[in-house]
Amino acid sequence: MLSVADRPRFEFDLPDEGATERFAQDMAMVAKPGWTIALHGDLGVGKTSFARAFIRSLARDPVLEVPSPTYTLVQPYSEPVPSVIHADLYRLSDPSELQELGLDDPDDPAIRLIEWPDRAGDDAFVGALHLTLSISPSGGRLARLHGPDPMLEALAHSARVRAFLDGSGYAHADRVRLAGDASARRYECLGWTPDAPIVMDAPRRPDGPPVRVDLGPAGIVEKPYSQLVHLAEDVDAFIAVGTALRANGLAAPAIHAADRDHGLLVIENLGSDGVLDSDGKPIAERYCAAADALAEMHAKDWHAELPISTDAWPGHDGSNSRQKPGRGLDGSAIRADVSKPHQKGDWHTVHAYDTEVFLTEISLCPDWYIRHRASAGAPIEAFDRHAFFASWQALLDPLETAQRTLVLRDYHSPNIIWRGEQEGVSCIGIIDHQDALMGPPAYDLASLIHDARVTISPALQDTMLSHYRTMRQALEHGFDETALRQSLALMQAQRGTKILGIFARLNERDGKPQYLAHLPRIETYLRQALTHPALAPLRPHYEALLPGDVD
């Protein structure tokens, strides 16, 4: 078995201090909690400068004070996400002192940047990424990397992102890490200013293994989950749906550059203001404006086949004149596809939000939420899966012939930007739309009114519904409020049931227990939805499923 030191190494030429800082940012973009980066090199080669740029990029603060820990030995930083521990072991007198410094705690999720790691002994920092800096013949720095393959693969991907930026008009841009979401997508800002463009890093991922889902009377389906519910497989969906939204007067991020093959986009930054106040409470005016924007969106005609076209992108002139070669981590040339032209037949299909998709999403609740309840000491013994799905299918089947519109699927606080300087529906920015389907208009209204991450009071729920109803009545002759209320209750119940399963799955499968804090809110929303008379067939099932009473 090869030791870490025997693994193949990448070499990277850093001609000046700016290149060293960008190299540190490139590594910070993909470093994961628990990583240890061992920094080797003589005095004055730039180890502390590298650490400073790395920490500032994660902390999103270009002037954050990052002193050398030469005398303190260890300097923790809680500002970045994930947190960072910067250590300088030059003054370590004995390897046994390492335990006292807390640098060998395997359960600590902080990223560790260790200068002079050799002072800790040969057996320290097993599994670390080793970066050796030295003076290059040109007077700059030469960086050599070796370590575990997953770390090197992550860094190679980050180098591809840098090459894409170099080839699409963003050479020498600072890369500042942004917090991710519950998906596998990754985001970063190109600079420190509030309006800096955003990089969306969403490479096409292979489908997971087929899952066997028992939908009761609807039968058994067996495909990868992403296929069953039509989750976006690549950035083409984001491009196509966003273009359609902008063409219809709604605010979605413009595309500035793209490498579709590798899932890389530079997109417009719509801002950082949301619909919540500094305490995380809903701002009524902004939620109502979001309801108005939905009403205007639902009054428009939407096509299920959307072109994936670059023709309207800023700076696109129909040629590849903006395309310049970048350099990968190993120094090889990488060419960024920044202006792939629209081809005949290059279309994105917006699938139907049909009964099978609804039932598949609902299945997450018995598959994951019930198990979570059981693990918490509250087993659900009276739950009848077959009858549960039979009741749901009877309520969902009529939607097959009902009105369908573009459904964004996650129209709630994390994905809504407030643009108060704009007028009309442009004051609402929509940043998560790649999983859109054609389905019931009430679904996105349910997402907004029963915001999964924010407690919306019944009074504000009623106000939003009134805003939406008034706007729809003004835009659409013959609008049926009674049908809307029934469909809204059904979609609120469907979405709440799905989210119970998703949040339980995020905890158990993905190691994200923070989502469990939202379960009581979702349970309360579900009880509210189930009070609608049309949902009476579902109530007996939820008496067994939910803690407490279902009124």
Side-chain angles (χ1 to χ4, degrees):
M1 182 174 179
L2 294 177
S3 69
V4 169
D6 292 328
R7 292 182 183 274
R9 298 185 298 180
F10 286 118
E11 292 189 356
F12 205 84
D13 184 43
L14 308 173
D16 52 38
E17 185 176 356
T20 301
E21 291 178 353
R22 290 190 293 275
F23 180 67
Q25 293 171 1
D26 293 347
M27 293 182 67
M29 292 304 99
V30 294
K32 293 180 172 55
W35 273 27
T36 296
I37 302 175
L39 303 175
H40 303 267
D42 294 334
L43 289 170
V45 296
K47 298 187 297 297
T48 300
S49 295
F50 171 93
R52 184 175 294 117
F54 184 101
I55 293 167
R56 285 175 173 173
S57 181
L58 283 184
R60 303 181 62 188
D61 185 348
V63 295
L64 178 69
E65 186 68 24
V66 183
S68 172
T70 300
Y71 295 100
T72 59
L73 298 188
V74 173
Q75 178 66 50
Y77 293 89
S78 59
E79 297 91 345
V81 179
S83 58
V84 177
I85 296 174
H86 182 199
D88 185 333
L89 305 185
Y90 185 80
R91 294 167 57 85
L92 196 70
S93 58
D94 189 274
S96 63
E97 298 176 10
L98 191 66
Q99 188 173 5
E100 299 177 14
L101 297 176
L103 296 177
D104 57 351
D105 182 359
D107 297 323
D108 190 340
I111 296 171
R112 299 165 180 80
L113 299 176
I114 312 295
E115 298 187 42
W116 302 100
D118 53 298
R119 299 298 178 97
D122 295 336
D123 296 331
F125 310 123
V126 174
L129 175 70
H130 293 265
L131 167 61
T132 301
L133 293 171
S134 60
I135 305 295
S136 69
S138 63
R141 299 295 183 266
L142 184 65
R144 293 184 174 90
L145 287 163
H146 62 261
D149 289 340
M151 290 182 172
L152 294 177
E153 290 167 3
L155 294 173
H157 177 73
S158 186
R160 179 172 291 281
V161 177
R162 175 64 73 180
F164 160 63
L165 297 175
D166 288 347
S168 53
Y170 296 93
H172 307 309
D174 287 313
R175 297 171 66 184
V176 183
R177 188 151 155 176
L178 291 179
D181 54 20
S183 74
R185 294 182 294 273
R186 194 183 61 79
Y187 299 92
E188 58 188 71
C189 272
L190 295 181
W192 308 98
T193 60
D195 60 348
I198 291 173
V199 174
M200 179 177 176
D201 182 4
R204 184 183 181 94
R205 299 180 183 274
D207 288 319
V211 293
R212 190 174 186 270
V213 183
D214 181 359
L215 302 180
I220 293 174
V221 292
E222 190 168 0
K223 288 181 181 178
Y225 183 78
S226 59
Q227 290 186 18
L228 287 172
V229 300
H230 306 306
L231 298 179
E233 297 179 346
D234 50 41
V235 295
D236 286 355
F238 186 89
I239 295 169
V241 176
T243 301
L245 289 170
R246 291 192 301 278
N248 280 275
L250 295 150
I255 309 295
H256 298 323
D259 179 345
R260 289 169 55 194
D261 291 337
H262 295 99
L264 299 172
L265 302 176
V266 178
I267 64 176
E268 177 186 9
N269 188 338
L270 296 182
S272 57
D273 285 344
V275 291
L276 307 177
D277 64 19
S278 58
D279 295 323
K281 301 294 179 61
I283 301 175
E285 174 196 6
R286 300 181 183 185
Y287 268 87
C288 290
D292 291 341
L294 268 188
E296 287 214 22
M297 189 176 85
H298 293 162
K300 298 179 183 294
D301 293 327
W302 298 93
H303 299 284
E305 297 293 328
L306 302 177
I308 308 165
S309 173
T310 67
D311 294 345
W313 294 357
H316 177 65
D317 59 3
S319 70
N320 288 332
S321 59
R322 293 174 64 239
Q323 191 172 2
K324 299 177 181 179
R327 293 285 167 182
L329 194 61
D330 59 357
S332 61
I334 296 177
R335 187 168 290 278
D337 172 18
V338 298
S339 55
K340 187 173 181 178
H342 173 53
Q343 302 290 331
K344 183 178 181 181
D346 201 5
W347 298 81
H348 169 67
T349 298
V350 183
H351 294 279
Y353 213 159
D354 57 22
T355 297
E356 183 174 278
V357 177
F358 280 130
L359 292 177
T360 301
E361 292 180 333
I362 288 170
S363 72
L364 292 172
C365 182
D367 289 346
W368 293 92
Y369 176 72
I370 287 180
R371 189 158 60 201
H372 164 72
R373 289 282 310 281
S375 68
I380 301 174
E381 299 174 354
F383 184 75
D384 185 334
R385 186 184 183 103
H386 186 88
F388 175 72
F389 280 101
S391 297
W392 264 110
Q393 184 171 358
L395 291 169
L396 291 168
D397 277 347
L399 297 179
E400 296 290 307
T401 57
Q403 176 194 11
R404 282 180 175 164
T405 187
L406 190 70
V407 174
L408 302 173
R409 295 175 91 174
D410 278 318
Y411 190 73
H412 57 168
S413 53
N415 301 327
I416 300 174
I417 301 298
W418 174 250
R419 310 166 76 223
E421 73 283 359
Q422 302 294 325
E423 296 182 356
V425 295
S426 293
C427 71
I428 296 297
I430 302 169
I431 61 172
D432 191 339
H433 47 67
Q434 63 279 337
D435 293 324
L437 297 178
M438 297 297 292
Y443 186 90
D444 281 341
L445 187 59
S447 302
L448 182 68
I449 289 178
H450 280 182
D451 193 317
R453 290 168 173 79
V454 182
T455 298
I456 307 295
S457 69
L460 181 53
Q461 292 179 34
D462 290 342
T463 302
M464 280 191 280
L465 182 57
S466 176
H467 266 256
Y468 179 87
R469 181 194 67 236
T470 300
M471 184 74 75
R472 284 290 299 274
Q473 288 173 336
L475 295 171
E476 190 174 332
H477 178 70
F479 174 73
D480 188 339
E481 181 181 352
T482 301
L484 170 69
R485 287 183 178 273
Q486 178 172 326
S487 181
L488 177 62
L490 183 63
M491 293 297 95
Q492 287 172 331
Q494 190 277 343
R495 180 170 172 81
T497 303
K498 172 181 73 172
I499 292 177
L500 287 179
I502 289 176
F503 286 178
R505 184 179 66 179
L506 283 167
N507 169 60
E508 182 176 335
R509 188 193 70 181
D510 302 332
K512 298 179 178 179
Q514 64 268 30
Y515 288 92
L516 295 182
H518 301 302
L519 290 184
R521 178 184 305 110
I522 306 304
E523 292 160 355
T524 298
Y525 284 155
L526 254 176
R527 294 189 191 95
Q528 290 179 8
L530 291 167
T531 61
H532 193 284
L535 273 58
L538 293 176
R539 283 200 284 271
H541 306 295
Y542 287 88
E543 288 171 357
L545 191 64
L546 292 177
D549 296 327
V550 177
D551 298 328

